[in-house]
Amino acid sequence: MPQSPDRTTRSQIDDPQVQGPLTPSTSAHGAKESVFSIPYRVLTLGVLLSVGMVAFESLGVATVLPGIAEDLDGLGAYGWGLSALMLANIIGTVLAGRAADRRGPWRPMALGMLVFALGCVVAGAAPTWPLFLVGRFGQGLGVGSVMSMAYTMIGLAYPQHLRARMYALLSSAWTVPSLIGPAITGTLADHTTWRWIFLIMLPVIAVAAVLTLPPLRRLRHAGAASSATSAPVPRWWKRPLPSAVLLTVGTGVFLQAVLLKNLPLLIALAVIGLAVAVPALHRVTPEGTLSARPGLGAGIVLRGILCGVYFGSEAFLPLGLQELRGMSATLAGLNLSAGAITWVIGSGLQAKRDTGEGGRAAATALGFAMLLAGVVLIALTILTSALPSWIALVGWGIGGLGMGIGFNAATTDTFEQVPPDRQGEASGALQLAQTLATALIAGLGGAAIALAKNYDGSTRTALLSVFILTGLLAVVGMLLARRLRPRSRTRQC
């Protein structure tokens, strides 16, 4: 939704150093502005560090999760190590997005950081796999809020011509964590204990809060008051919190059902889970999402598919390399680093070549094609001995490059179609699609591993089914990319 040159959608920050309108030259063309200019500098640094801490924890735990599951006797429910975080992420995302639209982003961001810290403490001290999952659930609540608010703040605090750059920088916030995260966590797991991975997060969270929260508290959401007074109050069970809980519970029941040996019970619980989750998903997403309506609805669906392909494949990459190719946790983590680094490169390339809405659908389709190539390469490397194990690093580097291109193009175009007073809702819906898709793929992959163990199958067969699923999703994404913008180019919100 392009804005006229004389209209700014950013909120004002109540600080003498940064308050006041942009000059006409910078407002119209952005020639003298950057995301590190005085009005945005502190907020930019705070947002980048907040995303960076999530990235460090995400890549670190993904690297050593096979060892944690083995240590806590949780390999039979391996998928829940990621799904627990992602399902809780749904609740955090929905609540944070709606709260930001009503009162601004400071409170959900502050609570998200606090809950994330508490989740790290529980997971790091957990003596059993179920208690570890409780900690992961707490982390997920915090991650959902932090990541949702990161995108919300970009929509509220930055003018349109700086947003693509900020989306690229959010991807670059994964650069340092991707370089040092797997190496640090793999070393800790190999030579000391994996528990330190969670405990060293606490000072990082504290620094991120100090940098982010003060400027964020002064950020006013211009549409908050009008949204709070004009929106009708739905019945209690249709409100964001109950709907998010029902979506989480329904998805959890479905994922637990597919782990069962009893086929009739499996089918019954899976149907019940879907019957609870699908209506709740309809209530917590904008109209047109479930049908992938061209515009905002399709943008949300594309975000989910992108992340389902990327994170769903990545979740099982360390497991496959360690169990089937004999890699150490440290070396397996380097493959995650390759994907994260090339994601940043791809996002930066897309930001530089972004000239408007015209080419973003094609860029999104290109991203899916590269993701498909990456999935094929890592699958061939893990599942066969025909290729040397280092080919997986190349494959996931290609996949990460495609993810960076497609993610940046789809996100930028989707947010341009959202009015200022619905940035929080849209950001929450995008983040929800990301986490729900990742949770489903991780859960289904974990179920495949559990079934293989229950029926004397092999991990190789289970991982083959995961990569076939993510590859098919990439093909679907390529076909849906053309729906990113309505043909009439009218606002779809």
Side-chain angles (χ1 to χ4, degrees), residues 121-427:
V121 171
V122 174
T128 63
W129 183 252
L131 191 57
F132 174 78
L133 295 182
V134 171
R136 294 290 281 165
F137 191 87
Q139 287 180 287
L141 291 173
V143 168
S145 182
V146 170
M147 293 303 296
S148 177
M149 290 305 93
Y151 287 98
T152 298
M153 286 183 283
I154 293 175
L156 294 177
Y158 296 85
Q160 183 174 312
H161 61 273
L162 293 180
R163 290 176 193 164
R165 177 59 178 160
M166 271 304 297
Y167 295 137
L169 281 176
L170 281 194
S171 296
S172 72
W174 291 71
T175 303
V176 174
S178 68
L179 289 171
I180 67 174
I184 291 175
T185 57
T187 301
L188 287 173
D190 290 338
H191 300 289
T192 59
T193 173
W194 53 265
R195 299 183 186 278
W196 281 106
I197 298 168
F198 298 95
L199 300 181
I200 62 176
M201 289 302 303
L202 300 180
V204 179
I205 297 169
V207 174
V210 169
L211 285 177
T212 305
L213 296 180
L216 189 59
R217 191 165 195 170
R218 297 189 291 268
L219 182 65
R220 295 197 305 266
H221 182 5
S226 61
S227 297
T229 57
S230 61
V233 178
R235 295 185 177 181
W236 71 267
W237 53 276
K238 290 185 176 181
R239 293 175 187 173
L241 178 56
S243 296
V245 170
L246 287 173
L247 175 58
T248 302
V249 170
T251 306
V253 169
F254 172 79
L255 293 178
Q256 185 60 36
V258 296
L259 292 173
L260 300 176
K261 293 183 179 180
N262 187 314
L263 184 59
L265 183 60
L266 184 156
I267 294 174
L269 286 180
V271 171
I272 292 172
L274 291 175
V276 173
V278 173
L281 178 62
H282 176 71
R283 291 193 295 271
V284 298
T285 54
E287 185 179 354
T289 298
L290 298 189
S291 61
R293 178 189 300 173
L296 178 59
I300 294 169
V301 172
L302 286 168
R303 166 72 78 87
I305 297 175
L306 276 167
C307 295
V309 175
Y310 183 86
F311 292 114
S313 301
E314 186 182 66
F316 297 92
L317 180 57
L319 178 65
L321 291 174
Q322 291 175 54
E323 285 211 359
L324 301 183
R325 297 305 301 260
M327 279 191 180
S328 67
T330 302
L331 290 178
L334 292 178
N335 292 272
L336 304 187
S337 298
I341 292 169
T342 54
W343 179 340
V344 174
I345 294 172
S347 185
L349 290 174
Q350 174 58 28
K352 288 183 179 180
R353 65 190 291 270
D354 184 70
T355 56
E357 62 187 71
R360 290 177 187 149
T364 303
L366 173 63
F368 275 115
M370 297 179 72
L371 263 175
L372 177 60
V375 170
V376 170
L377 273 178
I378 64 171
L380 289 174
T381 305
I382 290 174
L383 302 176
T384 72
S385 57
L387 298 175
S389 57
W390 60 264
I391 293 294
L393 186 146
V394 176
W396 208 229
I398 294 172
L401 190 66
M403 183 64 172
I405 293 171
F407 193 94
N408 187 291
T411 299
T412 302
D413 208 56
T414 301
F415 269 114
E416 282 192 4
Q417 302 177 67
V418 180
D421 63 343
R422 294 186 64 191
Q423 290 284 326
E425 178 190 2
S427 178

